[in-house]
Amino acid sequence: TPETGAFLDSLDDLPPKIHYAVDALWRFDLDEATRFGRELDQRSALWFEAPLLPENPTEHAELARRLRTPIAIGESYRTRFE
């Protein structure tokens, strides 16, 4: 998308000593997250946080297999029972 392209361009403008992680706030499906995550792989992101809906651990596992960038999940508690 134009937004993700602009974001990736902004990462390319960072000084080399800057380390960063990316929080996607559940914005991607598996294929989109894979494409975006591979871009992060090329840019050595520290981690890729919340790329997919938290209710889908199977897709998070698949995404983790596809990427070098670590996937961060687990902070999304929505009820008092979680």
Side-chain angles (χ1 to χ4, degrees):
T1 68
E3 295 85 10
T4 57
F7 178 76
L8 292 169
D9 288 344
S10 71
L11 294 180
D12 293 337
D13 292 336
L14 292 174
K17 292 187 177 189
I18 298 293
H19 302 285
Y20 60 88
V22 176
D23 190 340
L25 300 169
W26 315 327
R27 303 241 185 241
F28 296 110
D29 65 26
L30 179 58
D31 291 333
E32 293 167 332
T34 299
R35 282 191 297 276
F36 189 77
R38 287 183 177 150
E39 294 289 337
L40 295 178
D41 285 349
Q42 293 176 14
R43 292 165 174 84
S44 301
L46 295 175
W47 66 81
F48 187 13
E49 184 172 346
L52 307 167
L53 290 173
E55 293 84 6
N56 202 332
T58 304
E59 285 191 358
H60 279 98
E62 178 57 31
L63 182 61
R65 282 190 287 277
R66 294 179 182 186
L67 303 177
R68 286 190 330 266
T69 302
I71 305 301
I73 60 173
E75 70 179 34
S76 305
Y77 298 117
R78 296 184 178 167
T79 71
R80 64 186 176 128
F81 302 105
E82 292 182 294

